[in-house]
Amino acid sequence: MLPSKCPSCEAQLKVKSLICTSCHTEVSGLYELPLLAQLQPTEQAFIVKFVKSSGSLKEMAKELSLSYPTVRNLLNDIISKMNDYEK
């Protein structure tokens, strides 16, 4: 899993370079992490399940064995975090 926070100070990390494992071309710069990569692994997994369930919170609640309001709150927390990251 790609780290998104500095292990020392918890600041948001940025991507400095990318490399092609086929031809070894390297692209360097200073790039923002994609929004979804900034989320915790559990939050990313939640989003994947949400998309696979066609956005059905009712189906998500059943799959996760949680109440609908709990799943709704989890989604609201992720939405709030994403909104904060976009600022």
Side-chain angles (χ1 to χ4, degrees):
M1 183 63 58
L2 182 67
S4 63
K5 299 279 185 183
C6 173
S8 179
C9 71
E10 294 291 315
Q12 186 66 48
L13 293 173
K14 298 193 184 298
V15 176
K16 184 175 179 180
S17 68
L18 301 165
I19 190 164
C20 174
T21 57
S22 177
C23 70
H24 304 289
T25 296
E26 186 171 341
V27 179
S28 295
L30 191 57
Y31 308 101
E32 298 286 334
L33 286 173
L35 180 60
L36 295 178
Q38 296 177 44
L39 296 173
Q40 296 298 314
T42 54
E43 295 165 332
Q44 292 176 15
F46 182 93
I47 296 299
V48 169
K49 286 179 184 174
F50 181 72
V51 170
K52 286 183 174 182
S53 71
S54 299
S56 170
L57 293 180
K58 184 177 179 180
E59 187 176 320
M60 291 276 299
K62 184 177 179 180
E63 183 180 332
L64 297 172
S65 300
L66 298 170
S67 70
Y68 180 93
T70 299
V71 173
R72 180 75 241 184
N73 287 337
L74 289 170
L75 181 59
N76 286 343
D77 291 345
I78 292 171
I79 291 169
S80 177
K81 188 180 269 192
M82 291 171 71
N83 286 335
D84 289 345
Y85 288 157
E86 288 181 319
K87 291 180 182 175

